[in-house]
Amino acid sequence: MLSEKKSVSSSDPEQRLRDILDNILRIRSYTEGMGAPQLAADRKTQDAVERCLERICEAARKLGDTLDAKYPEAEFPKLRQLGSVLRHDYDYIDADMLWRSVTERLDPLEHACRTELGENPQ
């Protein structure tokens, strides 16, 4: 059974930023202690990471281009493109691409979201 989630407008930028942060934390918990070879060997974790990335990309899509220039290091335009790949060209997704996303994209994205929310980025 799906847990009930508070209904929030998809146009609420604060909620979208919090969705991104939540999914970053999930990815980190799923991949904690793993390296690229372990992720490549674990299809279940690959699927979990891919699903979290889909949600991150969808939240970035809903945010639109409002943060693109303010946080170029977060690469919001590339996130929106990645979302399209995850939804439509999923046969191009592999463990190496997922690992690069985990190791290269999450930190700048988290920093941008926390800064935008007025939180102290770690």
Side-chain angles (χ1 to χ4, degrees), residues 39-116:
L39 180 63
D42 186 343
R43 302 277 315 245
K44 191 183 292 186
T45 301
Q46 288 178 43
D47 287 347
V49 169
E50 186 174 328
R51 180 65 182 124
C52 288
L53 286 172
E54 287 174 355
R55 289 191 294 251
I56 288 170
C57 294
E58 182 62 15
R61 187 190 67 76
K62 288 179 179 179
L63 284 168
D65 62 1
T66 58
L67 301 177
D68 294 1
K70 191 171 181 180
Y71 303 104
E73 69 283 356
E75 299 183 316
F76 283 102
K78 285 186 178 180
L79 276 174
R80 292 190 294 273
Q81 291 171 351
L82 175 60
S84 180
V85 171
L86 291 168
R87 287 186 302 276
H88 304 291
D89 297 316
Y90 51 86
D91 49 333
Y92 291 107
I93 304 302
D94 63 22
D96 289 335
M97 188 283 301
L98 292 175
W99 186 250
R100 284 191 310 278
S101 293
V102 168
T103 58
E104 297 171 12
R105 288 190 159 173
L106 298 185
D107 286 343
L109 182 59
E110 179 182 17
H111 185 270
C113 291
R114 291 196 184 283
T115 300
E116 191 64 21

Side-chain angles (χ1 to χ4, degrees), residues 16-33 45 48-49 51-53 55-56 101-102 105-107 109-111 113-114 117 119-120 122:
R16 299 296 68 85
L17 293 167
R18 295 201 181 286
D19 291 343
I20 291 170
L21 291 172
D22 177 57
N23 282 281
I24 288 172
L25 290 175
R26 288 174 186 230
I27 290 171
R28 288 188 175 139
S29 74
Y30 300 153
T31 60
E32 185 176 3
T45 301
V49 169
R51 180 65 182 124
C52 288
L53 286 172
R55 289 191 294 251
I56 288 170
S101 293
V102 168
R105 288 190 159 173
L106 298 185
D107 286 343
L109 182 59
E110 179 182 17
H111 185 270
C113 291
R114 291 196 184 283
L117 288 168
E119 298 177 3
N120 185 19
Q122 278 106 9

